[in-house]
Amino acid sequence: MDRNQLIGILLILAMLVGYQFLVPKPEQTEQPAQTTKVTKPSASSATSDRPQTLDSAAARALYGDFAGVSTGQERDIVLENKDVKVTFSTLGGRVKEVLLKNYKTFDGKPLLLIDSRRNQTVLELPTSRGKVDLHKLYYQTGAQSGSVTGGATQVAFRAEVAPGQAVEQVYSLPAEGFTIDYDLRLNGLTNVGNGDVRFFWQDRMEQFENDLKNNRLAATVNYLTAGEEFDHLAETESSDEVTVEEPVKWFSIKHKYFLASFITKNAPLNKANFRTLVDPADSLTVKTAVADVSLPMADLKSGKGQYRFYYGPNDFQVIKEGIAPEFDRNVYLGYSILKPINKYFFVPVFNLLEKFISNYGILIVLLVVFVKLLLTPLTYKSYVSMAKMRVLAPELAEIREKVGDDMAKQQQEQMKLYQQVGVSPLSGCVPVLATMPILLALFQLFPNLIELRGKSFLWAPDLSTYDAFLQFPLAIPFLGNHLSLFTVLMTISSIAYAYYNNQTTPQQPGPVNMKALSYIFPVMFMFVLNSFPAGLTWYYFVSNVVTIAQQQLIRRFVDEDKIRLVLDENKKKFASGEGKKSKFQSYIQKQLAAAEEARKQAEEAQRNLEKRGKKK
């Protein structure tokens, strides 16, 4: 296998991987498109909309024992730590708004992960007279707005239904971080039903990144079952729905780079149903995510209704421990065979480098150099193997002239030559193929690195998305409405790399012109990667440039004349029987013997057929 064939194989493999990113993942089943109109869950009149003020008779009719807390005055309690600003409301005793203080939207606006205009929650309690939405009741609290500077600060909301009977919701916000501990207690309530409490959460997800299509592909609902099985709804531009048969430990409404999650500390959630709904005509909403779960009534009565919210970045370093079991799986680090490379190598190295390098474009350059240095032994071995093939090129050409177009005979004679000189044509491919997992791991890592979000470099304002160097008035097929300059540079460097290899590698016979394909594939990849993160295409561009420079340097240390002498010596030893056969040589000898035997049998069969024909 020569270098041109290798380039073709690598590019074909990379195209297959790229294709996986452009279609639904195989384990997901794309559901038929559904309407995106989502209404509050059906319930009795106790959960229906009501006027602002009710007389006592009307309130009693609608809310039964909860009539006394069905009216009141709404008041906001605002708490903030160094990372988040959370607004709680006495109407519902709920989280009304969450502002991530260290992040902005793609157009520079404050990033409101939870917004009362776009978020709706229902906490539906079964009672003897119907269902009551606890998020429509008015709660009392002694908490005041302020900043959290010490340990965790608690906000307690209490709705007293009758003497000794109350609903309590307690939130604890730490001095830093994105988690909010949440306790829900039903203290002494007597007229509750036997069913579980229904928690309904609808989020009309706002666009936080510049690419709406890519946002829709990434937006989903992730969840972990009680059996530690992680799953998610389809990451497509279509709607999807699943009813989970097993209890659920946690679920996350996932934007491309942010999470809004609900986590259980004790008993898992029952009867979980998750949906994502898409309206292609709505350019203001990425997707509408719906979570419909049940909270065990027994836990709420016994004081074990302990939960946790996470409102924050989908950052592996932030969520990898201390929040919930397997919570770091919200960050997609690639297929199972590639995930360890990203989890235990690239992510730690990336985070180590960013402690010293503030410019992420330069950081990527250093990452390329570091990886290339680690792979230098493999690169050197591959180059030496290809140099041996170049030295043998004249003899291989003689074989082709000698046997003509008989490809089987040509292959057989080439294998004999390899055996005589002690060269394996695959030895140059194996070291390079060993680097393929690294290229594929990066291909899957960069689109999920929040560290690149909002980081500018050269003309690119954000390395986590494409750099739209040129904008087109109309979308061009396979390219879109923009042209990424980093992708163009990557394509040019790939063509230059192919040209460099083609100058040093002789053309191999066959129906496919591999040299021509080595120029065609980079152009095809330009269309595939044009909408990928600028950080990824910048990495590939730098990698191509460093690889060419690395091979030029290695070339200075490889003397092809010495290689020629070594191969000639091997051939002499083989002829005299002095040379020690390697495993590869023994394998070739067996294959040649088998091929020769097959050839003799074919010739014998042909002669027998000819004899039978003459007799007739």
Side-chain angles (χ1 to χ4, degrees):
M1 178 182 294
D2 67 7
R3 186 173 294 276
N4 294 315
Q5 291 172 319
L6 176 61
I7 293 173
I9 291 174
L10 293 178
L11 290 172
I12 289 171
L13 288 175
M15 287 185 66
L16 291 175
V17 174
Y19 178 74
Q20 296 300 317
F21 277 84
L22 303 176
V23 297
K25 294 182 180 178
E27 69 268 19
Q28 299 296 333
T29 302
E30 184 173 328
Q31 300 293 329
Q34 304 178 36
T35 176
T36 61
K37 182 180 179 182
V38 181
T39 59
K40 295 182 180 181
S42 59
S44 68
S45 59
T47 60
S48 61
D49 292 332
R50 65 182 187 280
Q52 294 297 317
T53 58
L54 297 172
D55 57 38
S56 58
R60 188 72 182 176
L62 283 173
Y63 294 97
D65 294 341
F66 294 84
V69 289
S70 64
T71 58
Q73 184 175 3
E74 182 178 3
R75 182 166 66 93
D76 290 345
I77 307 296
V78 180
L79 292 181
E80 57 183 308
N81 61 19
K82 62 186 292 290
D83 298 306
V84 296
K85 180 180 180 181
V86 185
T87 301
F88 301 93
S89 175
T90 57
L91 174 56
R94 58 190 173 84
V95 175
K96 181 178 180 180
E97 186 177 277
V98 176
L99 171 69
L100 302 186
K101 299 170 68 173
N102 303 320
Y103 298 91
K104 301 288 185 181
T105 63
F106 72 98
D107 52 357
K109 297 178 181 178
L111 201 154
L112 286 172
L113 187 59
I114 299 297
D115 183 350
S116 59
R117 297 179 298 105
R118 305 182 66 85
N119 276 260
Q120 170 196 338
T121 58
V122 173
L123 197 59
E124 200 172 68
L125 175 70
T127 70
S128 57
R129 297 187 57 176
K131 297 177 181 179
V132 173
D133 183 1
L134 300 181
H135 280 176
K136 286 188 175 180
L137 305 181
Y138 286 86
Y139 294 76
Q140 300 297 318
T141 181
Q144 301 294 323
S145 299
S147 297
V148 183
T149 56
T153 296
Q154 285 192 345
V155 179
F157 295 97
R158 179 181 175 86
E160 189 164 353
V161 179
Q165 301 184 44
V167 178
E168 288 187 346
Q169 299 183 78
V170 181
Y171 300 88
S172 298
L173 180 67
E176 62 179 5
F178 305 91
T179 59
I180 302 175
D181 288 331
Y182 170 60
D183 293 352
L184 175 60
R185 306 163 188 162
L186 304 179
N187 295 331
L189 295 184
T190 57
N191 293 328
V192 297
N194 295 322
D196 292 335
V197 174
R198 184 185 186 188
F199 179 43
F200 177 91
W201 184 357
Q202 174 185 310
D203 185 358
R204 291 166 50 233
M205 304 170 73
E206 192 171 356
Q207 182 179 351
F208 297 145
E209 319 303 328
N210 73 319
D211 189 343
L212 178 60
K213 178 179 180 180
N214 187 264
N215 278 211
R216 281 183 174 161
L217 288 174
T220 186
V221 176
N222 296 333
Y223 58 91
L224 184 77
T225 67
E228 302 287 325
E229 292 292 330
F230 174 83
D231 208 343
H232 57 88
L233 299 185
E235 295 183 357
T236 67
E237 292 185 90
S238 302
S239 302
D240 195 16
E241 181 176 3
V242 64
T243 297
V244 186
E245 301 298 331
E246 292 185 66
V248 172
K249 285 188 174 182
W250 56 259
F251 66 85
S252 295
I253 297 175
K254 174 183 170 291
H255 298 253
K256 181 174 176 62
Y257 291 119
F258 300 96
L259 301 172
S261 309
F262 186 75
I263 302 156
T264 65
K265 293 184 179 180
N266 295 316
L269 306 170
N270 298 322
K271 302 177 183 178
N273 176 270
F274 303 117
R275 283 173 282 164
T276 52
L277 309 173
V278 178
D279 181 3
D282 185 359
S283 60
L284 298 178
T285 303
V286 175
K287 278 183 181 177
T288 297
V290 177
D292 195 349
V293 300
S294 297
L295 312 182
M297 179 71 78
D299 278 8
L300 306 186
K301 287 183 175 180
S302 63
K304 295 181 179 180
Q306 298 176 338
Y307 307 97
R308 173 176 290 166
F309 289 100
Y310 176 84
Y311 302 113
N314 193 21
D315 186 337
F316 185 81
Q317 295 301 313
V318 174
I319 68 174
K320 65 180 180 180
E321 57 186 18
I323 296 177
E326 301 290 329
F327 199 68
D328 61 349
R329 298 187 68 175
N330 280 296
V331 179
Y332 182 67
L333 294 178
Y335 299 130
S336 57
I337 59 174
L338 301 176
K339 183 178 178 179
I341 299 175
N342 286 327
K343 184 175 182 179
Y344 300 111
F345 178 73
F346 277 113
V347 171
V349 169
F350 196 94
N351 292 127
L352 176 64
L353 290 175
E354 69 178 352
K355 292 180 180 179
F356 307 99
I357 307 297
S358 59
N359 187 303
Y360 281 75
I362 296 175
L363 186 152
I364 290 173
V365 173
L366 294 179
L367 181 63
V368 172
V369 173
F370 179 68
V371 172
K372 289 297 181 182
L373 287 175
L374 290 179
L375 299 177
T376 296
L378 290 177
T379 305
Y380 180 82
K381 185 176 181 180
S382 175
Y383 186 88
V384 171
S385 298
M386 299 312 299
K388 292 179 180 178
M389 298 302 295
R390 286 196 297 274
V391 169
L392 292 176
E395 295 178 58
L396 294 173
E398 290 179 6
I399 291 174
R400 289 194 294 271
E401 291 179 4
K402 179 180 177 181
V403 302
D405 296 331
D406 188 344
M407 298 302 297
K409 184 67 174 177
Q410 186 180 127
Q411 190 73 15
Q412 188 176 1
E413 292 298 322
Q414 288 178 351
M415 296 295 279
K416 286 181 180 179
L417 177 62
Y418 296 149
Q419 183 185 22
Q420 292 170 1
V421 299
V423 170
S424 169
L426 298 178
S427 61
C429 300
V430 173
V432 178
L433 289 176
T435 67
M436 277 297 294
I438 293 177
L439 296 176
L440 300 183
L442 288 169
F443 189 81
Q444 297 184 327
L445 174 65
F446 269 83
N448 300 292
L449 272 180
I450 192 175
E451 288 88 345
L452 297 178
R453 185 181 185 273
K455 302 301 189 297
S456 61
F457 180 66
L458 298 178
W459 55 85
D462 187 347
L463 287 173
S464 70
T465 186
Y466 56 80
D467 58 302
F469 186 73
L470 291 179
Q471 291 278 4
F472 306 129
L474 297 174
I476 299 176
F478 306 109
L479 192 64
N481 61 355
H482 70 277
L483 182 64
S484 166
L485 184 54
F486 278 132
T487 305
V488 172
L489 291 176
M490 181 204 70
T491 303
I492 294 173
S493 66
S494 298
I495 293 174
Y497 179 57
Y499 176 80
Y500 167 77
N501 285 324
N502 290 340
Q503 300 309 303
T504 58
T505 305
Q507 174 66 46
Q508 295 294 316
V512 179
N513 188 332
M514 296 302 296
K515 285 190 175 182
L517 286 180
S518 67
Y519 296 122
I520 294 174
F521 277 124
V523 177
M524 295 174 60
F525 260 82
M526 182 181 71
F527 291 90
V528 174
L529 296 176
N530 189 54
S531 293
F532 272 68
L536 177 65
T537 50
W538 170 242
Y539 182 97
Y540 285 158
F541 165 71
V542 175
S543 180
N544 287 336
V545 173
V546 173
T547 300
I548 294 173
Q550 188 181 44
Q551 292 198 359
Q552 289 284 359
L553 182 62
I554 291 175
R555 188 175 184 178
R556 296 176 181 271
F557 294 92
V558 176
D559 189 336
E560 294 188 3
D561 292 334
K562 290 184 179 180
I563 291 176
R564 173 80 266 179
L565 293 175
V566 171
L567 297 183
D568 289 341
E569 185 67 23
N570 290 342
K571 186 182 291 187
K572 292 177 182 179
K573 289 181 179 180
F574 181 85
S576 63
E578 297 178 4
K580 184 180 179 180
K581 293 181 181 179
S582 65
K583 291 183 180 180
F584 179 75
Q585 288 176 315
S586 300
Y587 171 78
I588 288 181
Q589 190 169 9
K590 290 180 181 179
Q591 294 300 313
L592 289 174
E596 183 65 22
E597 182 65 25
R599 185 184 64 81
K600 291 180 179 180
Q601 291 178 359
E603 291 177 352
E604 182 66 24
Q606 183 64 30
R607 285 195 293 269
N608 291 336
L609 287 175
E610 291 175 355
K611 289 179 181 179
R612 291 176 184 176
K614 289 179 180 180
K615 289 180 179 180
K616 292 181 179 180

